[in-house]
Amino acid sequence: MLEKRPLRDVVVSDIATLAGTSSSSFYIYFADVSSAALAAAQGVEQITPEIEALLGSSWTRADADDKASALVESYVNFSSQHHAILRIRNLSADEGDKRFEDVRHRAVSRIHELLELRIAAAKNGLDPSSGASAVLALMERIAAIARLPLRRHHSRKSLITSAAFLIASAMTPR
């Protein structure tokens, strides 16, 4: 349902019908539609085995572009698979819902930690924590943009390549 309409347009009776149950059964588990979306968001960790392996390995100048491209591609693919719930989670967090803010923070904590370690290992003068936040924000935005019809003279691939270039420079020694 979240693929086709915003959270505010989803009603309990629609969820119950889709689940093959009654609205009263829904309320046994959830207080409202937002609580159901929160439960769905809690199940989404933004680290995959591939991303963990990429960030857990050492990066050199020679392989940084390839590893950064693979990282961004993996992140974009993951985000594409879960875009509806990630969109709801991020919008609710951005609007100040502390429950969604906490879920978002937990979902990205492992990838943020690995980015910090990789940036610290590069010893390139970049602050690991803020650098990790910037890299994560860049990948999140690229993932969102990559889903849209592109209106400029670039492709999804060129967006990923450009983001990877920037990320590679953050993750390797100068």
Side-chain angles (χ1 to χ4, degrees):
M1 259 186 261
L2 295 175
E3 295 279 339
K4 296 179 177 144
R5 53 184 141 154
L7 183 63
R8 67 182 167 277
D9 292 346
V10 175
V11 294
V12 170
S13 61
D14 292 339
I15 296 170
T17 300
L18 186 64
T21 189
S22 67
S23 294
S24 57
S25 294
F26 173 91
Y27 286 111
I28 292 171
Y29 301 99
F30 305 106
D32 53 22
V33 172
S34 180
S35 297
L38 180 65
Q42 287 171 330
V44 179
E45 293 283 332
Q46 282 179 251
I47 188 83
T48 65
E50 183 179 13
I51 291 172
E52 182 126 21
L54 283 164
L55 292 175
S57 65
S58 63
W59 290 39
T60 65
R61 262 290 158 213
D63 66 9
D65 289 337
D66 290 339
K67 286 186 175 185
S69 289
L71 173 65
V72 177
E73 186 74 42
S74 294
Y75 194 91
V76 167
N77 289 341
F78 174 85
S79 294
S80 181
Q81 292 170 1
H82 301 282
H83 81 278
I85 196 64
L86 293 176
R87 178 180 49 84
I88 297 301
R89 183 203 68 194
N90 293 346
L91 178 60
S92 297
D94 290 345
E95 290 177 340
D97 188 320
K98 296 291 183 202
R99 302 169 306 159
F100 284 91
E101 285 178 19
D102 291 344
V103 167
R104 182 188 212 176
H105 178 74
R106 280 193 304 275
V108 300
S109 65
R110 180 66 180 146
I111 194 168
H112 194 280
E113 174 188 331
L114 290 170
L115 285 165
E116 281 186 66
L117 291 171
R118 179 68 15 244
I119 292 168
K123 297 179 183 172
N124 61 13
L126 184 62
D127 175 69
S129 181
S130 60
S133 293
V135 167
L136 190 55
L138 173 62
M139 290 194 305
E140 284 183 355
R141 200 64 207 133
I142 292 297
I145 292 169
R147 291 192 35 74
L148 302 173
L150 298 175
R151 295 187 178 154
R152 301 215 190 307
H153 300 290
H154 53 255
S155 64
R156 178 182 188 267
K157 180 162 178 45
S158 68
L159 279 172
I160 290 171
T161 300
S162 295
F165 174 83
L166 297 170
I167 291 168
S169 69
M171 309 281 261
T172 55
R174 287 186 186 181

